[in-house]
Amino acid sequence: MTSATPSLGPVRAVSEGPSPGPSAFAEIRQETLALTRRLFVQLARRPSTLVAGILQPLIWLVLFGALFANAPAGLLPGGGSYGRFLGAGVIVFTAFSAALNAGLPLMFDREFGFLNRLLVAPLRSRSSIVLASVLYITSLSLVQSLAIMVTAALLGYGWPGATGLLVVLVTLLLLVFAVTALSLGLAFALPGHIELIAVIFVANLPLLFASTALAPISFMPAWLGWLAALNPLTFAIEPIRAAYGGTFDLANVVLNAPYGDVTAATCLGILAALAVGLFLAIRPLLDRKLT
Amino acid sequence: MIELQHLSKRYGGGSKQAPVQALDDLCLSVPEGSLYGLLGPNGAGKTTALRILCTLLAPDTGSVSVAGVDGLSDPRAIRRLLGYVAQEVAIDKILAGRELLALRGDLYHLGAADRHRRLVELIDLLGMDAWIDRRCGTYSGGMRRRLDLAAGLLHRPRLLVLDEPTVGLDIESRAAIWQVLQQLRDQGTTILLSSHYLEEVDALADRLAILEAGRVIAEGTPEALKDALGGDRVTLRVREFSDAAEAARVQDLLQGCEGVRQVVVNRSQGYSLNLVVQGGDVIERLRRQLTEAALPVFALAQSRPSLDDVYLQATGRTLMDAELSVAGLRDPKVERKQSMR
């Protein structure tokens, strides 16, 4: 029998407030798992998000791959095929798009009053609500990215080795955390889902085009090259591209930016800083909205 | 059980809309084990008061205490103590009712066995067995309300707070909810419910407070409030549609009649007359007096004072008129925004 039996007197209920560590952890785990499970049940019963999230990048991969299949050899740095070049871009784009949608379920819960129901419950920590969203969207975007990786391999665009796979995973995780933080922040800052969808729509493609997903910086006009070299997507794409390229070393230069050469370690460091920075940035907002 | 002291809350005041004083020094005290009604027209502040009690909203000033726990300094303890059934039915349409209840059970940290036992009990209590495994999106309003009530009861709260629990419901669901509420009260749960249905509060509540413009204007048991008015109510129509002159004549005639304490002409009801009377055979005397003056009687009805009369006495208008006067003024979009986090 747990906390709130009718026989529970008010005094006991008060003293239960700040109870010790292990039970707090168990409670946070219970509420986080329950909230995460809900998101997955929704996904299982309405899988269109999952399907669309795989289908869209797949179309990019096939169409763009075909469009530039006959690009002259030597156009790309390193001289590989365009399909192989494109693969890394589309993998990152997949994870990015999925994570950008992280705020949508939360926004709907805000709008339909379901969030208020969650907030009336004596949650041990209201971070559980945010944590559940992060767990859900991270798994979803990794599954989608994996589906794209498998397809790319079947199309003959290669497969990273064991180390490479680890690099891909870490890079995607960092990117997904950063973008999820951004999206969750927007879900609380914007007035409704129409506005959130509009922002997602507007942010999505320009960020893709202004990155090295579809073409190398050497191929771009100077101004676009600068944009691409500052775009967080680029910092995710280039380490993954290097991981697909074979021998991977954190100290290797993976990006020749207009401002200088960037190593894989720097790319990952920037992504990590971005993820941490964005979570810190949205924290006051979450605190305000969730307390 | 509940002590709300000097609560004030003001909404808006931005560039677009004028500020609304939702609560204005509201004080309320709900005794343990009672079924307490908050009665008032839309916009009187009922929902705001309940949302503050349930820790969803912070008051501008004032204090909240439930069972001795200070709601502003220890909101989590309050959340443990109470179950809240909100006005807007917010359910996840994709989950089945049982899954939704299980989720709520986890949010209240029930153990697996206890959670299961509570689900079985509540599904039985609220008669949800036939449809609890269907998705919530297919439920009628009554089903949703019952599911919502079950969710509010999962953790066996000592205090149940319901915001307009039967608004827009079919008679069967309404009766089912009333029955459960009475049963819970008899078992010792304190219940606070808001309503703008007079008969609901009259039938259910042990005590009630009438809210008007964010403050309590009358408080007590329904019987005491009605008795305090004194006398019975009589509605008299000499013709189906009378006129001002005739109404004034009848008013003059009856005002002097023994046992008649007050005669008011109700213009909006075709110049009918509303009387407050006291004494055993007043009606007979009225009829005699009218016959002697050669006046016909189209309708004559006597009734005990109702809560509407209590409201009328305190505010100078009926609850219905109060509802109508705010009907066009409230903006549901703005109110939804206010309730959004």
Side-chain angles (χ1 to χ4, degrees), chain B residues 220-266:
Chain B
T221 66
E223 285 316 307
L225 284 172
K226 288 185 285 190
D227 286 350
L229 291 181
D232 282 4
R233 268 46 189 172
V234 169
T235 308
L236 168 69
R237 285 163 180 259
V238 290
R239 292 170 217 287
E240 187 167 11
F241 297 105
S242 193
D243 57 35
E246 188 173 54
R249 203 181 128 218
V250 179
Q251 188 179 23
D252 284 344
L253 178 73
L254 298 182
Q255 217 127 37
C257 189
E258 190 195 333
V260 174
R261 283 178 28 203
Q262 194 187 351
V263 184
V264 177
V265 177
N266 190 340

Side-chain angles (χ1 to χ4, degrees), chain B residues 4 22 46 53 57 84 139-140 182 184 206 224 241 320:
Chain B
L4 303 181
K46 303 185 299 289
L53 172 64
L57 197 64
Y84 176 49
Y139 292 177
S140 70
Q182 282 164 329
L184 284 165
D206 304 319
F241 297 105
M320 174 79 87

Side-chain angles (χ1 to χ4, degrees), chain A residues 113-135:
Chain A
F114 198 82
L115 183 66
N116 276 333
R117 295 306 169 86
L118 302 182
L119 296 181
V120 174
L123 296 180
R124 170 62 69 164
S125 165
R126 291 178 164 189
S127 313
S128 307
I129 297 169
V130 175
L131 198 58
S133 289
V134 174
L135 281 175

Side-chain angles (χ1 to χ4, degrees), chain A residues 258-282:
Chain A
Y259 48 77
D261 291 343
V262 183
T263 64
T266 311
C267 284
L268 295 182
I270 289 171
L271 287 179
L274 195 65
V276 173
L278 280 169
F279 266 107
L280 289 179
I282 65 162

Side-chain angles (χ1 to χ4, degrees), chain A residues 134-214:
Chain A
V134 174
L135 281 175
Y136 165 73
I137 211 73
T138 306
S139 333
L140 181 64
S141 45
L142 286 186
V143 165
Q144 290 177 346
S145 298
L146 200 69
I148 295 302
M149 288 171 72
V150 170
T151 315
L154 292 177
L155 289 172
Y157 298 159
W159 182 257
T163 326
L165 209 53
L166 187 68
V167 174
V168 174
L169 193 69
V170 169
T171 312
L172 289 182
L173 274 178
L174 292 175
L175 180 73
V176 166
F177 286 154
V179 179
T180 299
L182 183 70
S183 184
L184 292 176
L186 287 173
F188 277 116
L190 296 175
H193 72 272
I194 304 279
E195 290 81 0
L196 181 59
I197 289 173
V199 170
I200 291 172
F201 194 72
V202 168
N204 212 345
L205 287 188
L207 273 164
L208 175 72
F209 287 124
S211 77
T212 58
L214 305 177

